[in-house]
Every structure is written in structure tokens, then in C-alpha cells.
């Protein structure tokens, strides 16, 4: 089955290698020397003067005064015309007391994700220098009076009191102590992602693709907001839903999150994401629910067996955010950040951008909590299924193929060639949509399939244990 290009997603969890790293920071142009402290350059005075006898009253309109002024201007012009100010590559050709130089732009240079903060700091320094010089110039009153300086003003009162309810700040304060950075290594590589605390005794929920590299005898270290560290082991994982549970040992006093619900989410409602993008632990971003029930490959590999019905958000999600919480404004977790849409490089070289473009996907918490509960109680996840192959029909909908004998599909009377257009009240435009909708349900749920001819068939969904890869 060919995945819809508009729906392509990639995992937002593992740390990218050198080939996946994006060009994050452009080095700023070097600053020119500032001889005035105001963002410009000083032009020295000539010192030319004309003395008048003490008994003679000076008249600025007299021929002698006019000649004196002309001599002064010429003297100053001779000094400034063609004078090269230190640090400049070309001389200034116009006289004047202040000259503002525009820094040369420099082409962006490649850098690793680890240089992101350095690049940002450098850019901020350039902006701060220009802005500071401009403000200093504008605030001089020019009338000879005393200047007003913000540095002389006392500090404002320290913030006190409770945080505003429903603010991003309050959500961050509530959730951050429960968010964990997971540093993972194994025989096939290493990486890092996020997770969040489910219980005081150390159960942590995350993505399968975050921890699968350590499933065969690797190592997982959990790092908490307060700096505490502990060793984690995989309790169980489900590649088909991209969910895993690990348990951290050697730590105490953990704070579990509060789980919300995802079946009543609304498009446009605000949400907050917390995680460790590019190893920047405890990063908080905010946005809205951009769309619901978006069929996306949970592992980001385009495999139909891992398709989920995702919550789409524009809250910034990047590699390293995987497994972290997506929360509503009450601080309740409503999803697990899992994948991002990653378009092809703008340069047309076929590479992926590897960073946030405002389209991220989270596993609905209703589905995740059911899988996590199975893993904690039995050590194994249970997958919902109907027992039929499916492909997208040429005219739209999901066309059933081979039906497994004794499966829920056969028991309900479904046949090969049937085209499903609705599941309950949800429209089914293609095969991925049907697979995703079935996955959001629990085993033994009863659902109604509407076929292309209008016939409605009730199906009791089945469940089967998932064997991790």
C-alpha cells in the first residue's frame, strides 16, 4: 500500500545523526567598531577657530563671520572626506558627525544540533547591540537636561502569588516534575527521548521507538527535572501502537501525571507539549489541536501495521520530544508526542528537514492508557483487529481483501470485496483510516460498518496479543 504523501510522518524521538542534522544557526556578520557608544562612528572636530578682538562684537551675518564659517566647513570636510574609520574595509565618502555601518551578511554555515544554543546566543547579541545603540541615541533629550537611564531604575517587585489557572506557565509547573528524559543505548545505536511518570513506584510511559534499541540487553537511564537519575528497564512494548512502558529503579518521591481524555478533544483548543528536543531537557512549547483522527504511521515508517488515529498539533515537536506528554490547559495528559511531518528539503536534494514545521502528531491518551494497562498487568499489549486484509478502493473507502477464517470479520458476515465507507459515524476515505479507527477501539467493542451500497453490518472487534519485533 502506498502511503499518502500528505500524511508522511517520522519519529520525533531519536537523536538525529549527522546526516539528519539541520542547518540551524547562521553565523552573524562581524560587528564594526563603535566609536561613539551610540551605534555609529565619531568624526573628530578640526579645531579650526577664528579669534575676534574683545572689543569687537561678533556678528554672525558679517562678511568676516561668513568667511570664518566657510573656512571651518572646509577644514572639517578636508578631514572627513575620504577618511577611513578603523575596522572599515572601504572609506566613507561623505562627511558627518555620525555614520551607521550596516554589517555584511554571511552565508549560513552547517552546524550540528549541539551548536543551536551558541547560534541563537550570537544572533541575540547582534540584535541586542543594534537595539541598545539605537535606544541610547533616541533617549538622549538633546536639550542639555539630565538623561533618563533604565539602569538607574530600581528592580520591580518579585513575582508572587499563584500562577493564573489555565496558563501555559501553570501547566508547565504542574507537569514538568513528572516528565523524564530517557537516554538509551544498545548494540544497534544510541539516542534519547522523553517519557512521563505513571506511578510513584517508577512506571514511565513512552514511545516504543524511543526504547526499542535497548530492548535486547541495552541500557536506559532516566533523568528527572530535579537532576535525579535512575536505571530503567523495559516492562513491555507494542510496536503496532508505538507505546512502551519502562520502570525506573533507584529513585523515590516521583510525581505521577494526571491523565485526561482524548475522546472529547476539539479542534482549536490550546495544548502544551513538554520534552527533551535535541537534548534540551524540560523544553515547553504550546499550540493548539490542529486536527483529530489523522491516520499516521506510529513508527514513522509507513507500515500499515503501525497506523494510528493521531491528534495533530502545531505545538513545536522535534526529535527528542517523542514519548513526552501533550497536555490540555488543566495540565492533564491527552496524548503522547510521537511523530512529525517532515517535508523534503527545500533545496530539492531529497533529504528531510528533520525539524518542526508546525505539524506534529500525538497518540490519543485513551488508546495509550489501555495499552499501558495491559503491559503493566500482563507484560504484553493486546491489539484490536477484525481479521481482514484491506486496501484503498479506487472510488474511495477501504476495500476488504482476504478474510481470515473464524475472525470477527467472517463472523459478522463481511466478505472479500466489500468496501467500508463509514465506521459508526466516522467517514472512512481510505484503508489507513479504517485501520486507525479500529485501533482506537478496545477488544469486544461493537461497531457498525457502513458499506458502499448502504448496507450496515455490526462487528464485534477481536483482540490478540502483540509480539514485539
Amino acid at each position: 500500500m502506498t502511503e499518502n504523501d500528505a500524511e508522511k510522518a517520522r519519529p520525533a524521538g531519536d537523536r538525529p545523526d549527522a546526516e539528519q542534522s539541520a542547518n540551524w544557526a547562521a553565523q552573524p556578520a562581524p560587528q564594526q567598531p563603535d566609536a561613539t557608544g551610540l551605534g555609529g562612528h565619531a568624526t573628530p572636530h578640526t579645531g579650526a577657530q577664528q579669534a575676534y578682538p574683545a572689543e569687537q562684537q561678533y556678528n554672525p551675518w558679517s562678511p568676516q563671520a561668513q568667511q570664518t564659517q566657510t573656512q571651518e566647513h572646509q577644514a572639517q570636510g578636508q578631514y572627513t572626506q575620504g577618511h577611513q574609520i578603523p575596522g572599515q574595509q572601504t572609506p566613507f565618502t561623505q562627511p558627518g558627525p555620525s555614520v551607521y555601518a550596516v554589517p555584511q551578511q554571511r552565508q549560513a554555515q552547517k552546524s550540528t544540533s549541539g551548536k543551536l544554543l551558541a547560534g541563537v546566543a550570537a544572533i541575540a547579541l547582534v540584535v541586542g547591540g543594534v537595539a541598545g545603540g539605537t535606544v541610547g541615541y533616541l533617549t538622549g533629550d538633546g536639550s542639555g537636561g539630565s538623561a533618563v537611564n533604565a539602569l538607574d531604575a530600581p528592580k520591580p517587585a518579585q513575582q508572587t502569588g499563584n500562577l493564573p489557572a489555565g496558563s501555559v506557565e501553570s501547566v508547565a509547573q504542574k507537569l514538568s516534575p513528572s516528565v523524564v528524559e530517557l537516554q538509551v543505548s544498545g548494540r544497534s545505536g544510541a539516542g534519547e527521548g522523553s517519557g512521563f511518570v505513571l506511578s510513584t513506584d517508577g512506571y514511565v510511559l513512552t514511545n516504543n521507538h524511543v526504547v526499542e534499541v535497548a530492548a535486547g540487553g541495552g541500557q536506559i537511564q532516566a533523568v528527572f527535572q530535579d537532576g535525579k537519575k535512575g536505571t530503567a528497564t523495559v516492562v513491555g512494548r507494542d510496536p503496532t501502537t508505538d507505546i512502551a512502558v519502562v520502570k525506573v529503579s533507584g529513585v523515590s518521591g516521583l510525581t505521577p501525571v494526571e491523565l485526561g481524555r482524548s475522546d472529547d478533544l476539539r479542534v482549536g483548543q490550546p495544548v502544551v507539549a513538554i520534552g527533551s528536543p535535541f537534548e534540551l531537557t524540560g523544553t515547553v512549547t504550546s499550540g493548539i489541536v490542529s486536527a483529530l483522527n489523522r491516520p499516521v504511521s506510529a513508527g514513522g515508517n509507513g507500515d500499515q501495521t503501525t497506523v494510528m488515529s493521531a491528534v495533530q498539533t502545531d505545538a513545536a515537536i522535534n526529535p527528542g520530544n517523542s514519548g513526552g506528554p501533550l497536555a490540555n490547559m488543566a495540565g492533564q495528559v491527552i496524548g503522547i508526542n510521537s511523530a512529525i511531518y517532515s517535508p523534503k528539503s527545500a533545496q530539492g536534494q531529497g533529504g528531510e528537514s528533520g525539524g518542526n514545521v508546525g505539524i506534529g502528531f500525538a497518540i490519543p491518551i485513551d488508546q495509550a492508557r489501555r495499552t499501558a494497562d495491559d503491559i503493566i498487568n500482563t507484560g504484553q499489549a493486546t491489539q484490536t483487529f477484525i481479521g481482514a486484509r484491506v486496501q484503498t478502493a479506487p472510488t474511495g473507502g477501504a476495500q476488504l481483501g482476504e478474510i481470515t477464517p473464524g475472525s470477527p470479520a467472517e463472523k459478522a458476515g463481511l466478505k472479500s470485496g466489500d468496501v467500508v465507507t463509514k465506521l459508526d459515524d466516522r467517514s472512512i476515505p481510505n484503508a489507513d483510516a479504517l485501520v486507525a479507527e479500529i485501533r482506537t477501539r478496545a477488544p469486544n467493542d461493537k461497531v457498525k460498518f457502513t458499506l458502499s451500497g448502504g448496507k450496515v453490518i455490526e462487528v464485534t472487534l477481536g483482540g490478540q496479543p502483540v509480539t514485539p519485533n
Side-chain angles (χ1 to χ4, degrees), residues 364-404:
I365 198 61
D366 291 350
Q367 177 178 341
R369 71 186 302 166
R370 183 176 66 249
T371 302
D373 192 55
D374 285 343
I375 290 174
I376 292 173
N377 291 330
T378 69
Q380 196 170 30
T382 302
Q383 181 187 65
T384 307
F385 79 110
I386 62 169
R389 293 186 178 276
V390 61
Q391 62 182 10
T392 300
T395 57
Q399 185 173 359
L400 303 183
E402 180 184 353
I403 306 292
T404 303

Side-chain angles (χ1 to χ4, degrees), residues 171 175 179 194-196 205 257-262 265-266 269-275 284-292 310-317 321-339 360-366:
V171 174
L175 266 183
V179 181
S194 305
F196 52 90
L205 187 58
V257 299
E258 179 183 357
L259 298 180
R261 56 189 302 165
S262 51
L265 292 176
R266 298 179 302 277
Q269 77 174 78
V271 289
V272 174
I274 305 179
V284 177
T285 57
S286 63
I288 62 170
V289 173
S290 304
L292 295 168
V311 178
Q312 182 181 325
T313 180
D314 68 347
I317 298 174
N321 272 111
S322 271
L326 185 69
N328 60 24
M329 302 313 291
Q332 301 167 330
V333 178
I334 51 87
I336 305 175
N337 300 319
S338 180
F361 304 101
I363 302 168
I365 198 61
D366 291 350

Side-chain angles (χ1 to χ4, degrees), residues 4-190:
N4 189 332
D5 288 340
E7 301 291 336
K8 285 186 179 177
R10 66 182 297 276
D14 293 338
R15 180 170 55 211
D17 57 25
E19 292 182 355
Q20 293 173 318
S21 296
N23 297 337
W24 285 102
Q27 297 297 323
Q31 292 298 291
Q32 304 295 343
D34 183 353
T36 66
L38 301 178
H41 296 276
T43 302
H45 292 290
T46 64
Q49 297 182 359
Q50 174 67 45
Y52 291 87
E55 66 275 7
Q56 180 180 352
Q57 185 176 4
Y58 170 63
N59 180 0
W61 306 108
S62 67
Q64 184 180 12
Q66 293 293 319
Q67 181 180 2
T68 301
Q69 293 175 9
T70 301
Q71 292 173 350
E72 289 177 348
H73 291 164
Q74 289 175 347
Q76 183 174 5
Q78 290 171 358
Y79 191 92
T80 59
Q81 185 73 23
H83 173 65
Q84 184 170 348
I85 297 175
Q88 295 292 334
Q89 296 179 353
T90 56
F92 287 93
T93 58
Q94 295 182 358
S98 297
V99 182
Y100 292 88
V102 179
Q104 260 191 331
Q105 292 186 348
R106 188 179 293 176
Q107 290 185 351
Q109 298 177 354
K110 288 190 176 182
S111 70
T112 62
S113 61
K115 295 182 181 177
L116 173 61
L117 288 181
V120 173
I123 294 171
L125 197 62
V126 172
V127 175
V130 174
T134 303
V135 171
Y137 179 78
L138 294 178
T139 54
D141 65 13
S143 63
S146 60
V148 177
N149 193 328
L151 297 175
D152 298 330
K155 290 182 179 180
Q158 191 172 15
Q159 297 184 56
T160 59
N162 296 326
L163 299 175
S167 66
V168 174
E169 189 179 2
S170 66
V171 174
Q173 187 180 67
K174 177 180 179 178
L175 266 183
S176 291
S178 304
V179 181
V180 187
E181 179 186 12
L182 297 175
Q183 300 172 350
V184 184
S185 63
R187 287 186 302 237
S188 60

Side-chain angles (χ1 to χ4, degrees), residues 237-323:
R237 56 194 186 90
D238 179 9
T240 65
T241 58
D242 200 23
I243 292 171
V245 176
V246 301
K247 190 169 187 182
V248 184
S249 59
V251 293
S252 60
L254 301 182
T255 303
V257 299
E258 179 183 357
L259 298 180
R261 56 189 302 165
S262 51
D263 61 351
D264 63 350
L265 292 176
R266 298 179 302 277
V267 173
Q269 77 174 78
V271 289
V272 174
I274 305 179
S276 303
F278 301 108
E279 299 183 79
L280 301 175
T281 307
T283 297
V284 177
T285 57
S286 63
I288 62 170
V289 173
S290 304
L292 295 168
N293 310 306
R294 190 73 80 188
V296 174
S297 176
N301 55 14
D303 186 355
Q304 190 183 71
T305 61
T306 65
V307 171
M308 65 175 176
S309 183
V311 178
Q312 182 181 325
T313 180
D314 68 347
I317 298 174
N318 285 290
N321 272 111
S322 271

